[in-house]
Amino acid sequence: MKDAKASAGPVIEFRSVAKAFGGKPVLKDLSLAVGRGEVMFIIGTSGVGKSVTIKHLIGLLRVDAGEIWFDGQRIDQLDERGFYPVRRRVGMVFQNATLFDSMTLTENVALPLRKLGGLRMKAALEQARVRLGEVHLTEFADRYPAELSDGMRKRAAIARTLATDPEVVLFDEPTTGLDPVSARRIDRLIRELADHRGATAIVVSHDLTSIFTIADRIAFVYQGGIRALGTPAELQASPDEVVQQFIRGKSSGPMETPGF
Amino acid sequence: MSDRPGILASLTDRITRVGEGAIGTVRAAFDLVVLFLGTLGGLFRRAGRPRGAVVEQMHIIGNRSVVFVAVTLGFLGMVMVYQTCLQFNKVTGDFSQVGVQFIRLIVSDFAPTLTGMMLATRVGAGIAAEIGSMKVTEQIDALRMSGVLPVDYLIVPRFMASVVMTVALTVLGGAIMWLAGGLTAQYSFGVNPNIFYDLSLVTGVHVGLGLVKSLSYGMAIPVVAGFCGLRAKGSSEGVGWATTAAVIGASFSVIVLDFIWSILGFMIFGGSL
């Protein structure tokens, strides 16, 4: 199964990507290839550039140097409109759920269906209700985001991202701030996405339970590049002390963590 | 002597910082112009606007500012006329020119500019805070991911609402200022209302100049405030920065535009102003 995925070639490829903010380099030389249908976890300490990495894929950030390829097409030089077709195929679930406060859940989910999917208002709203049903939010469909719990908001945001059936879904810390039960439900949803819909998932996370339960492969970001890459078993067996410190969650060790 | 490299380094550092600041300012000005042009372009892209957003924004920007603008301009009208009459009283005691000159100034300058200043603070802060908090909570990125241009969705409705409501509030504010000034002149100095409320010196040039000013403020305020909101970074502190920057920027642009239009008006129409 893994071989079949690998032979199809990577769906996403970062080639020597560099990015600095205000003169401070965050990514220095990051290269990573993600296969079709894979659940790839990007892990690392806070502020190391995990979210920054995935935001380049959908044109929310621009690389300073390097290349990004999506399905055989170079995308790092596209303009805002050039990214529209990419955003139709690559969805993102943001860290803060980011539902639009002024809209009900149904309207939130209907927005990409109208704008990206080209549906009319009525059809988009009907479709949105179906999508909310899939994440068990039917009875809250007409509520506003402010009236709901964090877990519900997160689920609604996932429904909004999945509404247009993207081939690749980016998750930015999907389980952060959720109770363990909600977190494991989100994990299951991500796994099903890959197993049943054949979608590729790239998950930024430092939730060790998620990492070792659902990841196909893990990329460990450290000092602006990929320090280690492999299956959960491979990472657990890694002789690299920095990797070991992170996955064992030890407060002392060789890892450099700015600010501590 | 041994200090020289240190002094040189600190000097170079300072020059670099000034240079970076200057480049940043030029870039920001360029981005602001791009946003303005994008907003104008957005007027022709109807599909990007949420339904009913313009009417909703007209209510927020216009209706909710009525009392604020009316009270401020009313009081300012009273103070201005009172002070003017007080001075005239000391010199000639002839009040015949007060009303006729006052309305000329209201139409060409006071009403649009004072209304613009008031809206720059109230509306500018509101727009920047709202868009800024959407920016820091990644809602703007989520909009882009949903296939929506943030300019069309957020700035254009506020722009359209602001242009219409700034002109409307200017007319209202000017009328209240004139009325309040007239009542002050009548009750404090016994000026005959028939002499005060005299429109004979107001020409099309004054009305045109006032309208142009009002329209330009109406355009500048939401664009400058929206620009500050879109540049908010970090968390609530970033939103605070954006709000402050918006109030300063929007008020400043009203004053600069007032200056530019007044100079242009004087150069073109000269004595007829």
Side-chain angles (χ1 to χ4, degrees):
Chain A
M1 187 65 190
K2 279 267 183 288
D3 289 340
K5 281 175 190 170
S7 65
V11 65
I12 283 162
E13 214 180 338
F14 295 87
R15 295 183 186 166
S16 301
V17 169
K19 177 73 180 176
F21 291 99
K24 243 181 23 199
V26 175
L27 302 179
K28 289 173 194 157
D29 182 6
L30 184 137
S31 298
L32 178 67
V34 183
R36 208 175 286 276
E38 193 175 23
V39 176
M40 167 71 84
F41 267 65
I42 297 181
I43 64 171
T45 48
S46 301
V48 81
K50 307 181 297 284
S51 307
V52 169
T53 305
I54 58 170
K55 281 184 181 174
H56 282 103
L57 267 178
I58 38 177
L60 297 180
L61 291 172
R62 299 299 155 107
V63 296
D64 293 342
E67 296 175 7
I68 295 173
W69 291 72
F70 170 59
D71 204 14
Q73 185 201 359
R74 189 172 170 185
I75 56 168
D76 55 274
Q77 293 163 322
L78 297 176
D79 60 10
E80 181 75 12
R81 281 188 187 282
F83 264 105
Y84 278 11
V86 177
R87 290 177 192 161
R88 227 165 261 158
R89 299 173 62 193
V90 183
M92 175 153 178
V93 179
F94 291 88
Q95 194 174 339
N96 303 310
T98 63
L99 295 172
F100 308 121
D101 302 329
S102 56
M103 299 182 190
T104 63
L105 292 194
T106 316
E107 287 165 350
N108 261 286
V109 178
L111 186 69
L113 285 168
R114 282 165 49 221
K115 301 297 175 184
L116 290 174
L119 290 185
R120 291 191 159 269
M121 188 61 138
K122 207 176 151 213
L125 289 174
E126 276 170 23
Q127 181 76 13
R129 282 177 188 281
V130 174
R131 294 295 181 162
L132 283 167
E134 288 172 6
V135 291
H136 313 291
L137 285 172
T138 310
E139 56 184 307
F140 302 100
D142 295 319
R143 299 275 195 91
Y144 286 89
E147 303 167 35
L148 303 174
S149 74
D150 286 344
M152 287 176 179
R153 277 205 290 267
K154 200 74 146 199
R155 264 153 49 204
I158 291 175
R160 185 178 64 188
T161 305
L162 300 185
T164 48
D165 288 321
E167 296 159 46
V168 178
V169 188
L170 314 175
F171 291 89
D172 193 354
E173 303 200 10
T175 54
T176 303
L178 297 187
D179 63 86
V181 176
S182 303
R184 299 295 79 81
R185 280 190 187 143
I186 304 256
D187 285 350
R188 201 174 65 202
L189 205 138
I190 296 172
R191 198 57 255 182
E192 284 172 1
L193 208 60
D195 294 343
H196 299 157
R197 293 202 207 176
T200 308
I202 302 182
V203 187
V204 163
S205 177
H206 33 223
D207 181 341
L208 292 169
T209 315
S210 308
I211 295 168
F212 290 107
T213 319
I214 60 164
D216 283 326
R217 283 199 301 159
I218 302 167
F220 178 63
V221 182
Y222 185 63
Q223 293 183 337
I226 302 289
R227 172 92 174 205
L229 177 69
T231 62
E234 283 166 356
L235 241 72
Q236 270 169 330
S238 167
D240 189 332
E241 285 183 23
V242 173
V243 175
Q244 287 302 327
Q245 188 192 340
F246 184 82
I247 61 175
R248 308 240 175 271
K250 288 186 196 155
S251 62
S252 60
M255 183 184 270
E256 286 178 26
T257 47
F260 281 98
Chain B
M1 194 63 191
S2 62
D3 270 341
R4 184 152 298 170
I7 293 169
L8 205 66
S10 101
L11 199 67
T12 323
D13 188 43
R14 261 179 221 188
I15 292 171
T16 313
R17 251 184 283 161
V18 171
E20 275 170 1
I23 291 168
T25 310
V26 171
R27 200 169 288 163
F30 178 75
D31 290 347
L32 182 61
V33 172
V34 169
L35 180 65
F36 178 63
L37 296 177
T39 307
L40 292 183
L43 296 175
F44 302 100
R45 292 189 293 265
R46 256 199 92 199
R49 287 197 290 274
R51 247 182 244 186
V54 179
V55 175
E56 190 191 342
Q57 288 301 325
M58 282 170 76
H59 178 74
I60 294 170
I61 293 173
N63 296 21
R64 294 207 188 149
S65 303
V66 166
V67 175
F68 180 54
V69 167
V71 170
T72 317
L73 266 72
F75 274 111
L76 282 169
M78 282 155 64
V79 172
M80 280 176 183
V81 168
Y82 188 85
Q83 288 290 348
T84 309
C85 289
L86 211 59
Q87 302 309 318
F88 269 90
N89 208 14
K90 282 184 195 161
V91 185
T92 60
D94 172 19
F95 298 123
S96 64
Q97 286 297 303
V98 174
V100 76
Q101 297 290 352
F102 188 52
I103 187 61
R104 188 178 65 89
L105 278 169
I106 285 179
V107 171
S108 66
D109 202 5
F110 288 160
T113 305
L114 292 172
T115 306
M117 286 293 284
M118 291 298 114
L119 291 180
T121 56
R122 209 197 84 88
V123 175
I127 290 176
E130 196 178 349
I131 294 181
S133 40
M134 286 186 77
K135 174 75 193 307
V136 300
T137 55
E138 294 179 312
Q139 286 185 53
I140 306 271
D141 283 345
L143 272 181
R144 289 166 69 189
M145 286 304 293
S146 302
V148 175
L149 279 176
V151 172
D152 289 7
Y153 201 82
L154 296 170
I155 312 280
V156 173
R158 288 169 172 79
F159 181 88
M160 295 168 77
S162 167
V163 169
V164 174
M165 291 322 251
T166 305
V167 174
L169 285 172
T170 296
V171 173
L172 176 83
I176 289 174
M177 207 176 181
W178 194 34
L179 191 74
L183 290 172
T184 308
Q186 185 185 348
Y187 290 105
S188 300
F189 296 91
V191 179
N192 184 343
N194 290 329
I195 292 171
F196 190 91
Y197 296 118
D198 179 356
L199 283 167
S200 62
L201 279 186
V202 177
T203 64
V205 173
H206 297 117
V207 176
L209 188 61
L211 188 65
V212 166
K213 282 182 182 177
S214 184
L215 285 171
S216 65
Y217 304 154
M219 292 180 193
I221 292 165
V223 174
V224 171
F227 176 73
C228 294
L230 288 173
R231 281 167 73 93
K233 282 186 198 129
S235 54
S236 47
E237 193 189 338
V239 180
W241 171 88
T243 312
T244 312
V247 171
I248 296 171
S251 316
F252 187 66
S253 49
V254 165
I255 292 185
V256 170
L257 284 168
D258 182 28
F259 178 76
I260 292 172
W261 289 123
S262 298
I263 294 282
L264 277 178
F266 189 74
M267 281 164 67
I268 297 167
F269 300 106
S272 62
L273 266 177

